[in-house]
Amino acid sequence: DADVTQTPRNRITKTGKRIMLECSQTKGHDRMYWYRQDPGLGLRLIYYSFDVKDINKGEISDGYSVSRQAQAKFSLSLESAIPNQTALYFCATSDRDYQPLNEQFFGPGTRLTVL
Amino acid sequence: RKEVEQDPGPFNVPEGATVAFNCTYSNSASQSFFWYRQDCRKEPKLLMSVYSSGNEDGRFTAQLNRASQYISLLIRDSKLSDSATYLCVVNTNAGKSTFGDGTTLTVKP
């Protein structure tokens, strides 16, 4: 079984709809991240969480919110989706105890299309 | 200016060629450095960490020059299976990662 899972894997929605992307991990890592990737670009950080009570904005947090329900779960919400949020979304985890090496382990991604 | 910059390529090389990718970063406080590989819009996976002394893993060699804030990846004897996008990643001591936009490599028969 995959260590980092994301649901759904693909989603098509309409402008204005609320969308939640979910991420679960069995690696036992404290740190979790949400990134988006647009064609031809690298990954940009949306939000990150270093433990259950810690939530931090990344470089492109506007229009998004997150919830860290447990160490193993980190959800990303688009409160009112817009077309320029069409992208590939990745969740990732890393182990605090190996700082600063901080290798990240990624989920398979969610392809989101907002019409 | 982006925090991490890479030559986007694409690099199109024949099998057996040697190819080098470069990456520069702007944050002098950066602590750790990596090359990740990404296939066809799948999830990135760690290829190798980059150490100041340079490190080698089979056909892959990574170098770090802190003074110039420059990272490189050398691939020798390219294989068809090396075709992918290579992402340069730089971490601060706060645990945040900044990704370059990636360099695309296509190895042709």
Side-chain angles (χ1 to χ4, degrees):
Chain A
D1 288 341
D3 295 320
V4 185
T5 57
Q6 293 183 232
T7 56
R9 294 293 311 278
N10 290 282
R11 182 72 184 268
I12 300 173
T13 191
K14 294 182 179 180
T15 298
K17 295 291 187 180
R18 185 177 187 273
I19 297 296
M20 179 179 286
L21 309 182
E22 300 189 0
C23 177
S24 295
Q25 52 113 348
T26 58
K27 299 188 76 67
H29 288 171
D30 292 307
R31 301 184 172 199
M32 298 187 74
Y33 310 79
W34 274 105
Y35 294 92
R36 69 176 277 175
Q37 186 175 36
D38 296 280
L41 298 179
L43 279 68
R44 291 183 291 167
L45 184 62
I46 306 172
Y47 271 94
Y48 61 103
S49 169
F50 283 174
D51 64 43
V52 174
K53 298 180 180 179
D54 175 78
I55 301 289
N56 303 282
K57 293 183 177 181
E59 61 181 297
I60 55 164
S61 59
D62 288 349
Y64 301 95
S65 62
V66 291
S67 173
R68 184 82 185 265
Q69 301 96 321
Q71 186 197 39
K73 296 183 181 296
F74 193 35
S75 300
L76 176 71
S77 293
L78 288 68
E79 297 301 327
S80 180
I82 56 177
N84 76 0
Q85 291 178 313
T86 293
L88 184 57
Y89 290 84
F90 288 107
C91 173
T93 73
S94 67
D95 188 344
R96 173 189 61 189
D97 290 337
Y98 286 95
Q99 294 309 303
L101 294 181
N102 198 43
E103 176 187 354
Q104 294 192 26
F105 298 84
F106 287 84
T110 295
R111 193 172 300 277
L112 176 66
T113 303
V114 183
L115 302 176
Chain B
R1 182 188 172 190
K2 292 184 177 181
E3 285 191 48
V4 178
E5 296 202 60
Q6 296 182 245
D7 182 345
F11 286 68
N12 297 303
V13 303
E15 275 187 290
T18 295
V19 61
F21 304 142
N22 302 321
C23 172
T24 58
Y25 61 96
S26 60
N27 185 348
S28 60
S30 299
Q31 293 290 318
S32 53
F33 311 88
F34 305 88
W35 285 100
Y36 279 73
R37 171 187 170 135
Q38 186 176 27
D39 293 290
C40 294
R41 305 284 278 170
K42 294 187 178 179
E43 71 270 27
K45 294 183 179 180
L46 180 68
L47 177 66
M48 57 197 305
S49 302
V50 187
Y51 304 118
S52 296
S53 56
N55 48 300
E56 186 174 310
D57 182 2
R59 297 181 293 108
F60 299 84
T61 300
Q63 296 278 354
L64 167 64
N65 185 320
R66 285 187 182 271
S68 301
Q69 297 183 195
Y70 169 92
I71 306 157
S72 66
L73 176 68
L74 182 75
I75 305 175
R76 291 182 299 278
D77 188 23
S78 298
K79 311 292 185 189
L80 296 176
S81 58
D82 293 335
S83 297
T85 296
Y86 292 84
L87 301 169
C88 174
V89 182
V90 174
N91 288 1
T92 66
N93 204 34
K96 287 173 56 179
S97 299
T98 302
F99 286 73
D101 288 343
T103 298
T104 299
L105 172 66
T106 301
V107 181
K108 299 184 176 180

